[in-house]
Amino acid sequence: GGYVANSLAIMTDALHMLTDLSGIILTLLALWLSAKSPTKRFTFGFHRLEVLSAIISVLLVYILMAFLLYEAIQRTIHMDYEINGDIMLITAAVGVAVNLIMGFLLNQSGHLHSHSHSHPHSHVPQLNSPNAAQSGSHGHSSLAVRAAFVHALGDLVQSIGVLVAAYIIRFKPEYKIADPICTYVFSILVVLTTVRILCDTGVIILEGVPRHLNVDRIKEALMKIEDVYSIEDLNVWSLTAGKTTAIVHLQLVPGSSSKWEEVQSKAQQLLLNTFGMYKCSVQLQSYKQEMSKTCASCQSSSA
């Protein structure tokens, strides 16, 4: 519609919709990849393909956005373009209608999901309760629907902005400068909605600690386990979004080597249940006192 109407505002709005479509495709890709078994070569599985796809899709969006911005600047400078106001108005109206329908469906889905899975004390699920995981997943799904509804409202506001610009251009063609102005505004929105994706994927590729976890808190919780003397090493990273992995190396209190199975089980339960790790590996060793190094002067004096 934007191409036929020669409207950059419509095309930029469509570009923003493309970022949403990319997010949906990546979610489906993640679900598909999570069902695939690791191989002898890719022992972690293929989760990082989701990250690679996210970077490629964002870069594609930036390339298209750069082209639209260039065209908007040229139109602002030269003003030698014509826009089909009728087609632009019809396309913008269809965009608003679709966003209204999507927002209504998401709102209804959120209410139905909340009512069907709400419990008086569902805010504090017990870790050992058989319904804890189910309750947590229901709450997560409800939050996801609410987040999608809020995002749909943002898309609706943008579509209404395009509709207003289309209305102005249709009945006041001399104000066609509204079209490139919309492109400038919507390009900023596209950057704001994708920069978080780039930051998150960068942290995953560099094997950084996810933003929702604090290594110091994990260490404090591990040190509270009975018979743990020290934490020799702790590595936390993500295979992909929402799949955090940890490797920890613990040193046991002197004389407690026989309790290693109990300590290992508690550490694994802590990492998996409390901190939501996807996978974890707990290594244990007996307490070994470090030998103090004798300085050269002491050696010479004793001699």
Side-chain angles (χ1 to χ4, degrees):
Y3 178 78
V4 174
N6 196 28
S7 168
L8 292 178
I10 295 288
M11 285 188 273
T12 312
D13 191 19
L15 182 64
H16 193 189
M17 296 298 106
L18 180 62
T19 62
D20 297 341
L21 178 62
S22 299
I24 296 172
I25 292 174
L26 290 174
T27 301
L28 294 175
L29 178 64
L31 292 173
W32 177 65
L33 291 175
S34 63
K36 295 182 69 68
S37 301
T39 64
K40 292 181 179 180
R41 185 170 186 180
F42 300 97
T43 56
F44 275 110
F46 301 90
H47 302 291
R48 286 283 170 90
L49 281 177
E50 179 191 3
V51 179
L52 183 62
S53 300
I55 294 176
I56 293 174
S57 64
V58 170
L59 291 179
L60 175 62
V61 166
Y62 282 173
I63 291 172
L64 295 174
M65 185 181 68
F67 172 75
L68 292 176
L69 279 175
Y70 173 78
E71 289 295 323
I73 293 172
Q74 293 298 314
R75 289 189 176 190
T76 304
I77 295 173
H78 302 293
M79 297 295 290
D80 55 349
Y81 61 94
E82 295 295 330
I83 298 176
N84 190 320
D86 292 328
I87 296 179
M88 183 180 180
L89 189 62
I90 293 172
T91 306
V94 171
V96 171
V98 170
N99 277 292
L100 281 172
I101 294 172
M102 185 165 59
F104 175 77
L105 292 176
L106 287 171
N107 188 38
Q108 292 297 111
S109 176
H111 282 309
L112 290 174
H113 202 284
S114 176
H115 292 329
S116 59
H117 299 298
S118 60
H119 302 284
H121 302 289
S122 59
H123 305 354
V124 192
Q126 299 297 321
L127 289 177
N128 297 326
S129 170
N131 295 325
Q134 185 179 2
S135 174
S137 63
H138 290 160
H140 178 75
S141 300
S142 180
L143 289 175
V145 173
R146 288 169 57 189
F149 173 69
V150 172
H151 192 88
L153 288 181
D155 295 341
L156 175 62
V157 172
Q158 179 172 322
S159 296
I160 291 175
V162 175
L163 182 61
V164 172
Y167 184 84
I168 293 173
I169 294 173
R170 170 63 181 82
F171 295 101
K172 296 286 185 179
E174 62 271 20
Y175 294 136
K176 59 184 181 181
I177 190 67
D179 186 71
I181 289 176
C182 284
T183 301
Y184 298 141
V185 175
F186 297 156
S187 296
I188 295 175
L189 293 177
V190 170
V191 171
L192 292 177
T193 54
T194 54
V195 69
R196 176 74 177 268
I197 298 175
L198 284 180
C199 292
D200 290 343
T201 53
V203 170
I204 292 173
I205 291 176
L206 295 174
E207 296 187 338
V209 179
R211 65 175 71 244
H212 67 281
L213 291 176
N214 187 311
V215 173
D216 292 332
R217 290 183 180 177
I218 297 176
K219 288 183 177 180
E220 290 176 3
L222 289 170
M223 286 299 297
K224 291 179 181 178
I225 298 177
E226 189 178 358
D227 297 318
V228 172
Y229 177 77
S230 66
I231 299 174
E232 295 297 307
D233 195 18
L234 173 62
N235 295 310
V236 180
W237 75 98
S238 293
L239 297 176
T240 185
K243 294 189 182 300
T244 308
T245 305
I247 294 179
V248 61
H249 185 187
L250 303 177
Q251 193 174 56
L252 300 178
V253 170
S256 60
S257 300
S258 60
K259 300 180 181 178
W260 69 269
E261 288 186 350
E262 182 181 352
V263 174
Q264 186 182 57
S265 177
K266 289 181 178 179
Q268 288 176 340
Q269 291 298 319
L270 181 72
L271 293 172
L272 293 174
N273 295 336
T274 304
F275 294 100
M277 300 292 176
Y278 174 67
K279 286 184 178 180
C280 68
S281 177
V282 180
Q283 302 173 358
L284 302 174
Q285 76 173 40
S286 301
Y287 171 77
K288 294 180 180 179
Q289 186 176 7
E290 294 184 358
M291 299 297 294
S292 58
K293 297 181 180 179
T294 308
C295 64
S297 59
C298 294
Q299 288 179 347
S300 58
S301 62
S302 61

